[in-house]
Amino acid sequence: MADTLTTTPAATAAPTPSPTGSYRVPADRHDVIRVQGARENNLRDLSIELPKRRLTVFTGVSGSGKSSLVFATIAAESQRLINETYSAFVQGFMPSLARPDVDLLEGLTTAIIVDQERMGANPRSTVGTATDANAMLRILFSRIGTPHIGPPTAFAFNVPTRVASGVMKTDRGSHTETSVVREAVYQGGMCPRCEGMGSVNDVDLTAIYDESKSLSEGALLVPGYSMDGWYGRIFAGAGLPMDKPIGKFTDKQREKLLYGQPERIKVEGVNLTYEGVISKIQKSMLSKDLEAMQPHVRRFVERAVTFTTCPDCNGTRLSQEALSSKIRGKSIADLCSMQITDLAEWLRGMEEPSVAPLLKGLQHLLDSFDAIGLGYLSLDRPAGTLSGGEAQRTKMIRHLGSSLTDVTYVFDEPSIGLHPHDIERMNRLLVQLRDKGNTVLVVEHKPEMIAVADHVVDLGPGAGSGGGQVVYEGTVEGLRASDTVTGHHLDDRVGLRDTVRAPTGALEIRGASTHNLRDVDVDLPLGVLCVVTGVAGSGKSSLVHGSVEGRDGVVVVDQGAIRGSRRSNPATYTGLLEPIRKAFAKANGVKPALFSSNSEGACPACNGAGVIYTELGVMATVESTCEECEGRRFQAAVLDYTLGGRNIADVLDLPVAEALEFFADGEARTPAAHKILERLADVGLGYLTLGQPLTTLSGGERQRLKLAAQMAEKAEVYVLDEPTVGLHLADVANLLALLDRLIDSGRSVVVIEHHQAVMAHADWIIDLGPGAGHDGGRIVFEGTPADLVADRSTLTGQHLAAYVGA
C-alpha cells in the first residue's frame, strides 16, 4: 500500500481572501519593506513601510536623514545579509559590514546600489575596462582579427608580454611531468615603453633635489622625504654620503641616489629596503591618478614631472603587435577611440556567424550606453575623468538588460549632471526598472524626478539633529498639498531677472579644443553670474576646466572627494579648530595641543578616535564606544578646561548655527572662528556639527564645505561645478543669495549648471551643444536668460521657457 501524505493543520490552512474576493497565498502578502526603530546617524527611532515593486522617492532638506535611511539602513543590511551567505573563506576577501542600528527590518530583497562615487583613481581604468566592453573586444580580436597574434590577453594593455626559459613542471596526480622551455612567449598587449599608461614622463631633477645642499641639510625636495626620520637612516645605511652636497656626488653615487634598484640593508638591527628616489616615486606617485593625490603631492608632481604622449604607441597603451591585428581595417585602439554611438553603428554592419553571440552582447552593451545618455563617451576615456553623474550612469548600464526581478535598486540623485532634456530619459529608465517587477528607491531633490514617483517619503522637518523623522508619505499630489518644507517649495519657480548686471571685463578663451570642443572662441563676462550649460556631454566642463582652471586668481570648486580620514571633520578641514584651540589655551593658560584629539589631548585608550575597533577576521569589525572617554575623544583632564561654560568636546558637538552665536559674544568671543563659521552658514551648512566625520558627508555637502574653505582665499573668479547637487529646493534660494553676495563684493562667478533656477537668475548664459560628443562642442547661444527664452532655438531655451512659464 502506498504511503499516505500527512499534513499539519497549518500546511492545509485556507488561503487568505483578498479585498477583491480572489485568494492570495501567504507569499503574496510580503509586499512591503518594513523598517522599525531605525537610529542610524540622525534618524530618530524611525519606523516606516515601503511598498515593493514601486518607485519610491525620498526627499527632504539636505541632512534630513534620507541617505541614512536608504543607504545606511536598508541597502546596508541587504548587502550584509547577502555577504553572510558566502563561505567564511570568501567573506575574508570582502569588506566586513556591521549591522545597522535598527530594531527590525523585514521584507528586504537583494539591493543593487548605484551611487555617485567616482569610479576609482586607477589610471589604468577606462570606460571600456570598467564596463566589460574591452573584455568583449579583446575576445573578438583574438578570434577574427587578422593577423592572428594570440589570445585575448594579447590585446590587454594591462598585461605585459613575458618570455620564459627553463624547466617547467606539471603535476599529473600520480606523477610529475618535466619539460624544458626555451624562449616561451606569453603574449600581452602592454606597450613596453609606457607600460600601458599611454604617456611617458620626464622628471625635472632640479625639482627633486637642491644640488648645493647635502642630504642631512634637506637637499631632497620630494614631499615626505625628511632626513629626521627613517629616510635619513636608510640613506646612510645604504652608504650614501650624508654631509656632502649632491652637486659633488660621483656619477655612481648620484645614480644610486636617484635610480638605485631595491636592495636589502640592515639599519640599527632592522631589515629595511633601500630604493632610489626616482625609482620609488615612479611607484608611489607617478603610477597613481593625479586627481586622487593629496594637494601638496599633486603640486609637486605637476612641478617636477612632464607627461607626454608615448611615441611608441601614440597614446593607445598597446604594443605594436596588438595594433597590427585588424578587423575590417580597424585595430582595437581605433574602435576604443570612436564615440560609442559610432562604434555601435560600425558593429551593426558585421555578420560573423562564428562570433554571433559575442557581437550580440557587445551591441546590447553599446546600445545601453546610448539609452542612458552616455553615447558621447569613448571606451578609451579614463574612468577617473568621469563626473559623479557619468560614473553613476555607467554603473547603471550592466543592470538595464538584466533579467533579474524583485530586486531593490537604490539610486543617489540620478539627476546629477543631467540637463532637463536628459532627465526625461532617466525617468523612463527608472520606470522601466520598476515595470519589470523591481523595487526602485531614489534619493532626489529635482521636482521633475519626484513627479514620476508612485510613493514619496519626505524626511525632516529640519537637518542634522532637527531631522530624522518622516514628515510625509504618500502621493506626489499629497506632498504638494502637505504642510512640509518640500511641499511648500515643490512648485517654486525662480523668475527671470528684471535687470541684469553689466560685466566689468571678460575672460577670453580662444581656440579651445579640449576633448570634443571645436576650436571655440568665447568671452566669459566678469563681475556677473555667468552660467555655462548644455546637454550632458556637450563640452561644458571641457571648456571651463580646460581653458579657465589654472589661471591666476581663479578658484575651482568641484564635486571631487575631500581627502581625509574618519578623524577629519569640518573644524579641521576649514582651519576652524586652530583659533578654537588657541582661544581655549589662552582662557586656561595651557598649551593649544591639549585641545586636539589627534595630539596631546587625545584619550589614551582610543587614541582620540572615540571608539575601539575589534577585528574579528571574516566577521564584521565591532565598533564600540570607548569606555574611558565615553566617545568624547579627549582625556578627562582636558575636559575640565572650559571656554564660555563649555569644554572642547561640547564645542565640537555644536551645529554650525549654534557655534556661530557661541563665538560671537561674551567670554567665548573669537573673531577668527566666527568668520569661518559665517562662511559655513553662508553655504547652507548651518546644521553640520563641527566634529562630524568628513566620511559621512554627502557629495553636495562636500562641495559646499570646499566652497566655504575656498572663500577665504583672495580669489577674483570662482568657478563652481554644479553647486546645486544635493541641495533641497528650499536651499537653492540661499545658494543664489550667496552667489549674489560674492558678486556684490567684487568677485566674478562662473557656474556649470543644469538647474533652471540658477539659469533664470543668471546675468549671462553660454549654451553648448547642440548635442553630445561630436554632435556638441560648439557655442549654440550666448546672451541673457530673457534672450534665450525668447529665442527658444536650443533645448535649454525650450526647457527654460517652460520652467518660467513663458
Short mmCIF file of all heavy atoms in Angstrom, two decimals, residues 507-567:
data_model
loop_
_atom_site.label_atom_id
_atom_site.label_comp_id
_atom_site.label_asym_id
_atom_site.label_seq_id
_atom_site.Cartn_x
_atom_site.Cartn_y
_atom_site.Cartn_z
N LEU A 507 36.92 87.18 -19.45
CA LEU A 507 37.97 86.17 -19.55
C LEU A 507 37.93 85.63 -20.97
O LEU A 507 36.94 85.03 -21.38
CB LEU A 507 37.69 85.01 -18.57
CG LEU A 507 38.30 85.03 -17.19
CD1 LEU A 507 37.89 83.78 -16.43
CD2 LEU A 507 39.82 85.10 -17.24
N GLU A 508 38.99 85.87 -21.71
CA GLU A 508 38.98 85.46 -23.12
C GLU A 508 39.41 84.00 -23.26
O GLU A 508 40.38 83.55 -22.66
CB GLU A 508 39.92 86.35 -23.93
CG GLU A 508 39.45 87.79 -24.06
CD GLU A 508 40.35 88.60 -24.99
OE1 GLU A 508 41.35 88.03 -25.48
OE2 GLU A 508 40.04 89.77 -25.23
N ILE A 509 38.64 83.25 -24.05
CA ILE A 509 39.00 81.88 -24.41
C ILE A 509 39.09 81.84 -25.93
O ILE A 509 38.14 82.21 -26.63
CB ILE A 509 37.95 80.87 -23.91
CG1 ILE A 509 37.87 80.89 -22.38
CG2 ILE A 509 38.25 79.46 -24.41
CD1 ILE A 509 36.77 80.03 -21.79
N ARG A 510 40.24 81.41 -26.41
CA ARG A 510 40.44 81.38 -27.86
C ARG A 510 40.94 79.99 -28.31
O ARG A 510 41.87 79.44 -27.73
CB ARG A 510 41.48 82.44 -28.29
CG ARG A 510 41.04 83.87 -28.03
CD ARG A 510 39.89 84.28 -28.94
NE ARG A 510 39.42 85.65 -28.69
CZ ARG A 510 38.40 85.95 -27.89
NH1 ARG A 510 37.76 84.98 -27.26
NH2 ARG A 510 38.03 87.20 -27.72
N GLY A 511 40.28 79.46 -29.31
CA GLY A 511 40.72 78.20 -29.92
C GLY A 511 40.65 77.00 -28.99
O GLY A 511 41.47 76.09 -29.08
N ALA A 512 39.66 76.97 -28.09
CA ALA A 512 39.54 75.84 -27.16
C ALA A 512 39.19 74.57 -27.92
O ALA A 512 38.22 74.53 -28.68
CB ALA A 512 38.46 76.14 -26.12
N SER A 513 40.00 73.52 -27.73
CA SER A 513 39.77 72.27 -28.47
C SER A 513 39.90 71.04 -27.56
O SER A 513 40.12 69.94 -28.05
CB SER A 513 40.75 72.17 -29.64
OG SER A 513 42.09 72.31 -29.17
N THR A 514 39.78 71.23 -26.22
CA THR A 514 39.84 70.10 -25.30
C THR A 514 38.69 69.13 -25.58
O THR A 514 37.55 69.56 -25.76
CB THR A 514 39.76 70.59 -23.84
OG1 THR A 514 40.73 71.61 -23.64
CG2 THR A 514 39.98 69.46 -22.85
N HIS A 515 39.00 67.83 -25.61
CA HIS A 515 38.01 66.78 -25.87
C HIS A 515 37.21 67.10 -27.14
O HIS A 515 37.77 67.16 -28.21
CB HIS A 515 37.10 66.57 -24.66
CG HIS A 515 37.87 66.09 -23.45
ND1 HIS A 515 37.68 66.58 -22.18
CD2 HIS A 515 38.87 65.18 -23.34
CE1 HIS A 515 38.50 65.99 -21.34
NE2 HIS A 515 39.24 65.14 -22.02
N ASN A 516 35.89 67.35 -27.01
CA ASN A 516 35.06 67.50 -28.22
C ASN A 516 34.86 68.95 -28.64
O ASN A 516 34.08 69.21 -29.56
CB ASN A 516 33.69 66.84 -28.00
CG ASN A 516 32.86 67.57 -26.93
OD1 ASN A 516 33.42 68.12 -25.99
ND2 ASN A 516 31.55 67.54 -27.07
N LEU A 517 35.53 69.90 -27.99
CA LEU A 517 35.36 71.31 -28.35
C LEU A 517 35.93 71.57 -29.75
O LEU A 517 37.00 71.07 -30.09
CB LEU A 517 36.04 72.22 -27.33
CG LEU A 517 35.46 72.21 -25.91
CD1 LEU A 517 36.27 73.11 -25.00
CD2 LEU A 517 33.99 72.65 -25.92
N ARG A 518 35.21 72.36 -30.52
CA ARG A 518 35.60 72.60 -31.91
C ARG A 518 36.15 74.02 -32.09
O ARG A 518 35.44 74.92 -32.58
CB ARG A 518 34.40 72.39 -32.84
CG ARG A 518 33.83 70.98 -32.72
CD ARG A 518 32.81 70.73 -33.79
NE ARG A 518 32.26 69.40 -33.70
CZ ARG A 518 31.45 68.87 -34.60
NH1 ARG A 518 31.08 69.59 -35.65
NH2 ARG A 518 30.97 67.65 -34.46
N ASP A 519 37.39 74.21 -31.65
CA ASP A 519 38.07 75.48 -31.85
C ASP A 519 37.19 76.66 -31.38
O ASP A 519 36.92 77.60 -32.12
CB ASP A 519 38.42 75.65 -33.33
CG ASP A 519 39.62 76.56 -33.51
OD1 ASP A 519 40.44 76.65 -32.58
OD2 ASP A 519 39.73 77.20 -34.57
N VAL A 520 36.75 76.58 -30.12
CA VAL A 520 35.77 77.53 -29.58
C VAL A 520 36.42 78.83 -29.15
O VAL A 520 37.43 78.84 -28.45
CB VAL A 520 35.02 76.89 -28.38
CG1 VAL A 520 34.17 77.93 -27.65
CG2 VAL A 520 34.15 75.75 -28.85
N ASP A 521 35.83 79.94 -29.59
CA ASP A 521 36.21 81.28 -29.13
C ASP A 521 35.03 81.85 -28.36
O ASP A 521 33.91 81.91 -28.90
CB ASP A 521 36.51 82.21 -30.32
CG ASP A 521 37.75 81.78 -31.08
OD1 ASP A 521 38.57 81.04 -30.51
OD2 ASP A 521 37.88 82.16 -32.26
N VAL A 522 35.25 82.26 -27.11
CA VAL A 522 34.16 82.83 -26.32
C VAL A 522 34.75 83.71 -25.22
O VAL A 522 35.88 83.50 -24.78
CB VAL A 522 33.28 81.71 -25.71
CG1 VAL A 522 34.02 80.92 -24.65
CG2 VAL A 522 31.98 82.27 -25.14
N ASP A 523 33.99 84.73 -24.81
CA ASP A 523 34.39 85.60 -23.70
C ASP A 523 33.47 85.34 -22.51
O ASP A 523 32.24 85.44 -22.65
CB ASP A 523 34.29 87.08 -24.10
CG ASP A 523 35.33 87.46 -25.14
OD1 ASP A 523 36.34 86.75 -25.24
OD2 ASP A 523 35.11 88.46 -25.85
N LEU A 524 34.06 84.99 -21.36
CA LEU A 524 33.28 84.82 -20.14
C LEU A 524 33.24 86.16 -19.43
O LEU A 524 34.29 86.67 -19.00
CB LEU A 524 33.91 83.76 -19.22
CG LEU A 524 34.07 82.34 -19.78
CD1 LEU A 524 34.67 81.43 -18.71
CD2 LEU A 524 32.74 81.78 -20.23
N PRO A 525 32.06 86.77 -19.29
CA PRO A 525 32.00 88.11 -18.67
C PRO A 525 32.36 88.05 -17.19
O PRO A 525 32.03 87.09 -16.49
CB PRO A 525 30.53 88.51 -18.86
CG PRO A 525 29.79 87.22 -19.04
CD PRO A 525 30.74 86.28 -19.70
N LEU A 526 33.06 89.07 -16.70
CA LEU A 526 33.46 89.17 -15.30
C LEU A 526 32.55 90.12 -14.55
O LEU A 526 31.91 90.99 -15.15
CB LEU A 526 34.91 89.64 -15.21
CG LEU A 526 35.97 88.72 -15.83
CD1 LEU A 526 37.35 89.36 -15.74
CD2 LEU A 526 35.96 87.36 -15.17
N GLY A 527 32.49 89.95 -13.22
CA GLY A 527 31.67 90.83 -12.40
C GLY A 527 30.19 90.50 -12.43
O GLY A 527 29.37 91.26 -11.92
N VAL A 528 29.84 89.34 -13.02
CA VAL A 528 28.44 88.94 -13.13
C VAL A 528 28.33 87.44 -12.83
O VAL A 528 29.33 86.75 -12.65
CB VAL A 528 27.86 89.21 -14.54
CG1 VAL A 528 27.92 90.69 -14.87
CG2 VAL A 528 28.61 88.41 -15.60
N LEU A 529 27.08 86.93 -12.79
CA LEU A 529 26.84 85.50 -12.65
C LEU A 529 26.70 84.92 -14.05
O LEU A 529 25.71 85.17 -14.74
CB LEU A 529 25.58 85.24 -11.83
CG LEU A 529 25.14 83.77 -11.71
CD1 LEU A 529 26.25 82.91 -11.11
CD2 LEU A 529 23.87 83.65 -10.86
N CYS A 530 27.71 84.18 -14.48
CA CYS A 530 27.73 83.58 -15.82
C CYS A 530 27.49 82.08 -15.69
O CYS A 530 28.22 81.39 -14.97
CB CYS A 530 29.08 83.85 -16.50
SG CYS A 530 29.27 83.03 -18.10
N VAL A 531 26.47 81.57 -16.34
CA VAL A 531 26.13 80.14 -16.28
C VAL A 531 26.49 79.48 -17.61
O VAL A 531 26.09 79.96 -18.68
CB VAL A 531 24.64 79.93 -15.97
CG1 VAL A 531 24.25 78.46 -16.12
CG2 VAL A 531 24.32 80.41 -14.57
N VAL A 532 27.27 78.39 -17.51
CA VAL A 532 27.61 77.59 -18.69
C VAL A 532 26.75 76.34 -18.65
O VAL A 532 26.78 75.59 -17.66
CB VAL A 532 29.11 77.20 -18.70
CG1 VAL A 532 29.45 76.38 -19.93
CG2 VAL A 532 29.98 78.46 -18.65
N THR A 533 25.94 76.12 -19.67
CA THR A 533 25.01 75.00 -19.66
C THR A 533 25.01 74.27 -21.00
O THR A 533 25.79 74.59 -21.90
CB THR A 533 23.60 75.49 -19.27
OG1 THR A 533 22.75 74.37 -19.08
CG2 THR A 533 23.02 76.40 -20.34
N GLY A 534 24.14 73.28 -21.12
CA GLY A 534 24.09 72.44 -22.31
C GLY A 534 23.84 71.00 -21.91
O GLY A 534 24.03 70.62 -20.75
N VAL A 535 23.43 70.17 -22.85
CA VAL A 535 23.13 68.77 -22.53
C VAL A 535 24.39 68.06 -22.03
O VAL A 535 25.51 68.52 -22.27
CB VAL A 535 22.56 68.01 -23.77
CG1 VAL A 535 21.23 68.59 -24.19
CG2 VAL A 535 23.55 68.04 -24.93
N ALA A 536 24.21 66.94 -21.33
CA ALA A 536 25.35 66.17 -20.81
C ALA A 536 26.25 65.76 -21.97
O ALA A 536 25.78 65.22 -22.96
CB ALA A 536 24.85 64.93 -20.07
N GLY A 537 27.55 66.05 -21.85
CA GLY A 537 28.49 65.69 -22.90
C GLY A 537 28.68 66.72 -23.99
O GLY A 537 29.35 66.48 -24.99
N SER A 538 28.09 67.92 -23.78
CA SER A 538 28.18 68.95 -24.83
C SER A 538 29.50 69.70 -24.81
O SER A 538 29.83 70.40 -25.76
CB SER A 538 27.01 69.94 -24.70
OG SER A 538 27.03 70.56 -23.42
N GLY A 539 30.27 69.58 -23.71
CA GLY A 539 31.58 70.24 -23.65
C GLY A 539 31.71 71.31 -22.60
O GLY A 539 32.68 72.07 -22.61
N LYS A 540 30.76 71.39 -21.64
CA LYS A 540 30.79 72.46 -20.63
C LYS A 540 32.05 72.36 -19.76
O LYS A 540 32.80 73.33 -19.63
CB LYS A 540 29.55 72.35 -19.73
CG LYS A 540 28.23 72.37 -20.45
CD LYS A 540 27.06 72.24 -19.50
CE LYS A 540 27.04 70.90 -18.77
NZ LYS A 540 26.91 69.73 -19.65
N SER A 541 32.25 71.17 -19.17
CA SER A 541 33.42 71.00 -18.29
C SER A 541 34.71 71.13 -19.08
O SER A 541 35.70 71.67 -18.58
CB SER A 541 33.36 69.64 -17.58
OG SER A 541 32.22 69.58 -16.74
N SER A 542 34.72 70.64 -20.31
CA SER A 542 35.92 70.75 -21.14
C SER A 542 36.28 72.21 -21.37
O SER A 542 37.46 72.59 -21.34
CB SER A 542 35.70 70.06 -22.50
OG SER A 542 35.41 68.68 -22.32
N LEU A 543 35.27 73.05 -21.58
CA LEU A 543 35.51 74.47 -21.83
C LEU A 543 36.05 75.16 -20.58
O LEU A 543 37.08 75.85 -20.63
CB LEU A 543 34.21 75.15 -22.27
CG LEU A 543 34.30 76.66 -22.53
CD1 LEU A 543 35.14 76.93 -23.77
CD2 LEU A 543 32.92 77.28 -22.67
N VAL A 544 35.39 74.94 -19.45
CA VAL A 544 35.76 75.67 -18.24
C VAL A 544 37.04 75.11 -17.62
O VAL A 544 37.98 75.83 -17.33
CB VAL A 544 34.60 75.64 -17.22
CG1 VAL A 544 35.02 76.28 -15.91
CG2 VAL A 544 33.38 76.37 -17.79
N HIS A 545 37.08 73.78 -17.41
CA HIS A 545 38.26 73.19 -16.77
C HIS A 545 39.48 73.23 -17.70
O HIS A 545 40.60 73.36 -17.24
CB HIS A 545 37.97 71.75 -16.34
CG HIS A 545 36.97 71.65 -15.22
ND1 HIS A 545 37.22 72.17 -13.97
CD2 HIS A 545 35.73 71.12 -15.17
CE1 HIS A 545 36.16 71.96 -13.20
NE2 HIS A 545 35.25 71.33 -13.90
N GLY A 546 39.24 73.11 -18.99
CA GLY A 546 40.36 73.08 -19.93
C GLY A 546 40.93 74.44 -20.25
O GLY A 546 42.10 74.57 -20.61
N SER A 547 40.12 75.50 -20.12
CA SER A 547 40.58 76.82 -20.55
C SER A 547 40.58 77.89 -19.46
O SER A 547 41.15 78.96 -19.66
CB SER A 547 39.69 77.32 -21.72
OG SER A 547 39.74 76.42 -22.80
N VAL A 548 39.92 77.64 -18.32
CA VAL A 548 39.83 78.65 -17.27
C VAL A 548 40.61 78.23 -16.02
O VAL A 548 41.33 79.02 -15.42
CB VAL A 548 38.35 78.93 -16.91
CG1 VAL A 548 38.26 79.94 -15.77
CG2 VAL A 548 37.59 79.42 -18.12
N GLU A 549 40.47 76.95 -15.65
CA GLU A 549 41.16 76.45 -14.46
C GLU A 549 42.67 76.62 -14.61
O GLU A 549 43.23 76.38 -15.67
CB GLU A 549 40.83 74.95 -14.27
CG GLU A 549 41.31 74.39 -12.95
CD GLU A 549 40.84 72.97 -12.73
OE1 GLU A 549 40.02 72.47 -13.54
OE2 GLU A 549 41.28 72.36 -11.76
N GLY A 550 43.30 77.06 -13.54
CA GLY A 550 44.75 77.23 -13.57
C GLY A 550 45.19 78.66 -13.82
O GLY A 550 46.36 79.00 -13.64
N ARG A 551 44.26 79.51 -14.26
CA ARG A 551 44.62 80.92 -14.47
C ARG A 551 44.77 81.62 -13.11
O ARG A 551 44.16 81.22 -12.12
CB ARG A 551 43.55 81.63 -15.30
CG ARG A 551 43.42 81.12 -16.73
CD ARG A 551 42.60 82.07 -17.56
NE ARG A 551 42.32 81.54 -18.90
CZ ARG A 551 41.78 82.26 -19.88
NH1 ARG A 551 41.48 83.53 -19.67
NH2 ARG A 551 41.55 81.72 -21.05
N ASP A 552 45.55 82.69 -13.10
CA ASP A 552 45.76 83.45 -11.86
C ASP A 552 44.43 84.01 -11.36
O ASP A 552 43.65 84.57 -12.13
CB ASP A 552 46.74 84.60 -12.10
CG ASP A 552 48.16 84.09 -12.31
OD1 ASP A 552 48.42 82.95 -11.92
OD2 ASP A 552 48.97 84.85 -12.89
N GLY A 553 44.21 83.88 -10.04
CA GLY A 553 43.02 84.44 -9.43
C GLY A 553 41.76 83.62 -9.60
O GLY A 553 40.68 84.04 -9.20
N VAL A 554 41.88 82.44 -10.22
CA VAL A 554 40.70 81.57 -10.45
C VAL A 554 40.72 80.42 -9.45
O VAL A 554 41.72 79.72 -9.32
CB VAL A 554 40.69 81.02 -11.89
CG1 VAL A 554 39.55 80.02 -12.06
CG2 VAL A 554 40.56 82.15 -12.90
N VAL A 555 39.62 80.25 -8.74
CA VAL A 555 39.47 79.13 -7.80
C VAL A 555 38.35 78.23 -8.31
O VAL A 555 37.24 78.72 -8.57
CB VAL A 555 39.15 79.63 -6.38
CG1 VAL A 555 38.67 78.49 -5.50
CG2 VAL A 555 40.39 80.26 -5.76
N VAL A 556 38.64 76.94 -8.46
CA VAL A 556 37.64 75.99 -8.94
C VAL A 556 37.17 75.12 -7.78
O VAL A 556 37.97 74.55 -7.05
CB VAL A 556 38.23 75.09 -10.06
CG1 VAL A 556 37.21 74.05 -10.51
CG2 VAL A 556 38.67 75.95 -11.24
N VAL A 557 35.85 75.05 -7.60
CA VAL A 557 35.26 74.21 -6.56
C VAL A 557 34.43 73.13 -7.24
O VAL A 557 33.37 73.42 -7.81
CB VAL A 557 34.37 75.04 -5.60
CG1 VAL A 557 33.89 74.17 -4.45
CG2 VAL A 557 35.13 76.24 -5.08
N ASP A 558 34.94 71.89 -7.22
CA ASP A 558 34.24 70.80 -7.91
C ASP A 558 33.62 69.83 -6.92
O ASP A 558 33.57 70.08 -5.73
CB ASP A 558 35.20 70.07 -8.87
CG ASP A 558 36.38 69.45 -8.13
OD1 ASP A 558 36.30 69.29 -6.90
OD2 ASP A 558 37.39 69.14 -8.79
N GLN A 559 33.14 68.67 -7.45
CA GLN A 559 32.45 67.69 -6.60
C GLN A 559 33.37 66.56 -6.15
O GLN A 559 32.91 65.57 -5.61
CB GLN A 559 31.28 67.08 -7.36
CG GLN A 559 30.25 68.07 -7.82
CD GLN A 559 29.28 67.45 -8.80
OE1 GLN A 559 29.03 66.26 -8.77
NE2 GLN A 559 28.75 68.25 -9.68
N GLY A 560 34.66 66.69 -6.39
CA GLY A 560 35.59 65.62 -6.04
C GLY A 560 35.59 65.34 -4.55
O GLY A 560 35.25 66.21 -3.72
N ALA A 561 36.00 64.14 -4.19
CA ALA A 561 36.01 63.74 -2.78
C ALA A 561 37.02 64.58 -2.01
O ALA A 561 38.04 65.02 -2.54
CB ALA A 561 36.36 62.26 -2.66
N ILE A 562 36.71 64.82 -0.74
CA ILE A 562 37.63 65.53 0.15
C ILE A 562 38.59 64.50 0.73
O ILE A 562 38.18 63.44 1.19
CB ILE A 562 36.85 66.21 1.30
CG1 ILE A 562 36.04 67.39 0.74
CG2 ILE A 562 37.79 66.69 2.38
CD1 ILE A 562 35.15 68.06 1.77
N ARG A 563 39.88 64.81 0.65
CA ARG A 563 40.86 63.89 1.22
C ARG A 563 40.80 64.00 2.75
O ARG A 563 40.94 65.09 3.29
CB ARG A 563 42.28 64.25 0.77
CG ARG A 563 42.37 64.47 -0.73
CD ARG A 563 42.41 63.17 -1.51
NE ARG A 563 42.29 63.46 -2.93
CZ ARG A 563 41.28 63.04 -3.68
NH1 ARG A 563 40.33 62.30 -3.16
NH2 ARG A 563 41.23 63.32 -4.96
N GLY A 564 40.58 62.91 3.40
CA GLY A 564 40.51 62.96 4.86
C GLY A 564 40.07 61.63 5.43
O GLY A 564 39.44 60.83 4.75
N SER A 565 40.41 61.40 6.68
CA SER A 565 40.07 60.14 7.34
C SER A 565 38.87 60.35 8.25
O SER A 565 38.27 61.43 8.29
CB SER A 565 41.25 59.66 8.17
OG SER A 565 41.49 60.57 9.24
N ARG A 566 38.53 59.32 9.01
CA ARG A 566 37.44 59.42 9.99
C ARG A 566 37.73 60.50 11.03
O ARG A 566 36.83 61.02 11.67
CB ARG A 566 37.25 58.08 10.72
CG ARG A 566 36.65 56.97 9.90
CD ARG A 566 36.56 55.72 10.74
NE ARG A 566 35.78 55.96 11.94
CZ ARG A 566 34.49 55.71 12.07
NH1 ARG A 566 33.82 55.22 11.05
NH2 ARG A 566 33.85 55.95 13.19
N ARG A 567 39.01 60.82 11.22
CA ARG A 567 39.39 61.83 12.21
C ARG A 567 39.19 63.25 11.68
O ARG A 567 39.22 64.21 12.45
CB ARG A 567 40.85 61.64 12.62
CG ARG A 567 41.10 60.37 13.43
CD ARG A 567 42.58 60.18 13.68
NE ARG A 567 42.83 59.05 14.56
CZ ARG A 567 42.87 59.12 15.88
NH1 ARG A 567 42.66 60.27 16.48
NH2 ARG A 567 43.11 58.05 16.61
#
